[in-house]
Amino acid sequence: MSSDPTPARTIVTIALTIVVVFGGLLGARALVRWAQAAAPETPRATVDVAAARHGSTLEVPCWSCPTAKSWPISFQTDLDLIAPLGDGGANAAEFFAAFQNHLGSRAGEGEALQGRRVNRVDDLGMVVAPDDELLLEAEPWVDQATMRFYPDYFPMEGWSTPYPNLLMMLTLARSWTARGVDAEDPADGLEDCRRAIRLGRLLRQDDAVIIVDLVGLACIHIGSRGIYRIAQREGDTELALLASVVIGEVAPQRLMTAEKITAFDLEPFILHDSDGRITLELPDAQLDAAMKMAEGLTERRFFGEVILTGSVVLKLGTPQQKIRVREQLERIAAGDDPILADLAQWVFDHPTTDEQISELYPRPIER
């Protein structure tokens, strides 16, 4: 069971709401070694800002066009144009995994950061001071080229798959952007906003857990809005246009993510009887549609939804539905993606329990 009391499906809903507010599954359990880990050495890295802003290559992606249905749910605009990644060779997860809620070796510091926030009058919301010690310490880590949590730092453990301290990361993104918007030197301000975008880009690299991807999307949106404000203030129409194109790509990705989540949502078909038993009345046509969508998936995080939803069908579905789902999960377990293979195998090794299903699909509140 998850060590985080918040139901996984509620967490995804919260993440979607976060992305809406700023333009914009699974509980927490870390590897034991993080409880005793020492703080890693600060890595060196540089960011080639000169590589950004080649306006002649800019196009406005048409997410409402029929061709968009075949696109991956990711930015069609080259984000190197607005916020290139750094060249650092360290894995940024080495730093951020230590702040995992409740279990990371620096979890208390992450919680303390949240306690130092103050509310701004603008749409950035809760931020920490520009010179906050942890805000400064995190800066070189978002100049790294990669951030991979899975499986080296966090294992794939079904409904209890851990994830980093996402609220802390949102606070960092907001705070860098706030410092950037307030900066007297626009060059310094843009660099702070780019930090927020780079953090979002790094969060999306694993493509393993939907909530992590959604928060990465939110960080990119927060930083891009900051860049837009600075560019507008400085009369830099080319940069303002670039930022607005990036901002315009956020809502379609959020909506398409919600669409795919809904396709694998079993809640409408979960029934609670008067004795507290839970049953699943899943029409075969609904399962057909979900499996057809699964066949067209390209992003790893959505296969996670397929696997975890499949684990419920293995528990409550009809005999024929169980056979179909098991065959699908066996194909994933035997596939080339080690992260998905581990997750699918975990489902076989740890069958979903009645208690987990009750937590995931609680009885509706009677009004």
Side-chain angles (χ1 to χ4, degrees):
M1 296 294 289
S2 168
S3 59
D4 188 332
T6 307
R9 296 171 65 257
T10 301
I11 291 173
V12 172
T13 302
I14 292 171
L16 286 167
T17 303
I18 288 170
V19 183
V20 171
V21 171
F22 290 98
L25 280 140
L26 311 168
R29 198 185 312 160
L31 295 179
V32 173
R33 66 172 180 267
W34 274 108
Q36 303 171 340
E41 182 179 351
T42 301
R44 295 181 179 274
T46 58
V47 179
D48 184 12
V49 180
R53 297 184 59 192
H54 297 289
S56 61
T57 64
L58 182 64
E59 296 183 4
V60 179
C62 182
W63 281 93
S64 62
C65 295
T67 54
K69 293 182 179 180
S70 64
W71 293 353
I73 303 180
S74 59
F75 284 92
Q76 303 305 298
T77 302
D78 183 359
L79 294 182
D80 283 345
L81 298 177
I82 193 168
L85 291 174
D87 64 0
N91 182 356
E94 181 181 5
F95 174 76
F96 286 105
F99 297 92
Q100 187 208 4
N101 290 330
H102 311 304
L103 296 171
S105 61
R106 303 181 66 180
E109 295 178 59
E111 294 172 4
L113 178 77
Q114 299 302 98
R116 295 194 294 273
R117 296 177 302 167
V118 296
N119 195 21
R120 287 174 62 96
V121 296
D122 58 16
D123 59 1
L124 284 170
M126 301 291 286
V127 302
V128 296
D131 60 350
D132 188 274
E133 182 177 342
L134 191 52
L135 187 70
L136 300 177
E137 184 184 357
E139 288 179 7
W141 289 97
V142 297
D143 292 345
Q144 305 309 300
T146 59
M147 182 160 66
R148 303 288 187 183
F149 290 100
Y150 304 93
D152 292 343
Y153 295 96
F154 295 151
M156 300 301 291
E157 295 183 331
W159 301 109
S160 299
T161 296
Y163 49 82
N165 187 336
L166 299 175
L167 289 179
M168 171 187 163
M169 292 182 168
L170 280 169
T171 295
L172 295 177
R174 293 182 186 123
S175 301
W176 283 322
T177 301
R179 190 174 68 185
V181 168
D182 294 343
E184 294 184 5
D185 185 339
D188 291 341
L190 290 173
E191 179 51 31
D192 269 329
C193 294
R194 290 189 180 107
R195 284 192 177 95
I197 297 174
R198 290 201 298 274
L199 175 57
R201 296 185 67 182
L202 291 170
L203 274 170
R204 301 190 88 187
Q205 284 185 351
D206 266 323
D207 189 27
V209 179
I210 287 177
I211 185 177
V212 176
D213 183 82
L214 287 170
V215 172
L217 183 64
C219 291
I220 293 170
H221 191 218
I222 292 167
S224 298
R225 286 180 64 87
I227 287 180
Y228 179 83
R229 290 173 62 178
I230 295 171
Q232 187 180 47
R233 187 172 63 214
E234 297 298 315
D236 189 338
T237 56
E238 180 184 342
L239 181 57
L241 174 61
L242 173 58
S244 66
V245 170
V246 172
I247 292 167
E249 288 206 63
V250 173
Q253 293 181 68
R254 179 189 63 82
L255 291 172
M256 292 180 73
T257 295
E259 178 184 2
K260 290 187 183 298
I261 291 174
T262 301
F264 301 111
D265 185 13
L266 296 178
E267 183 175 27
F269 314 107
I270 294 286
L271 300 179
H272 299 256
D273 67 19
S274 58
D275 295 327
R277 291 189 297 258
I278 297 178
T279 57
L280 175 66
E281 294 191 2
L282 178 65
D284 288 338
Q286 183 70 23
L287 181 61
D288 291 342
M291 295 191 73
K292 182 177 180 180
M293 177 173 283
E295 291 172 359
L297 292 177
T298 57
E299 291 112 322
R300 177 190 292 149
R301 63 190 182 277
F302 295 116
F303 277 103
E305 285 291 298
V306 173
I307 293 169
L308 294 176
T309 298
S311 72
V312 177
V313 178
L314 285 181
K315 175 72 174 178
L316 300 177
T318 66
Q320 187 60 35
Q321 289 174 346
K322 291 179 180 180
I323 291 173
R324 293 184 63 192
V325 168
R326 176 170 290 277
E327 290 174 348
Q328 176 83 334
L329 296 184
E330 287 175 346
R331 285 193 292 269
I332 296 174
D336 297 331
D337 188 316
I339 292 178
L340 291 180
D342 285 350
L343 182 57
Q345 188 58 50
W346 192 95
V347 166
F348 287 134
D349 295 341
H350 303 82
T352 298
T353 65
D354 292 336
E355 291 77 11
Q356 287 174 318
I357 295 175
S358 296
E359 180 182 344
L360 292 163
Y361 304 99
R363 179 188 294 273
I365 299 175
E366 296 182 2
R367 299 185 182 278

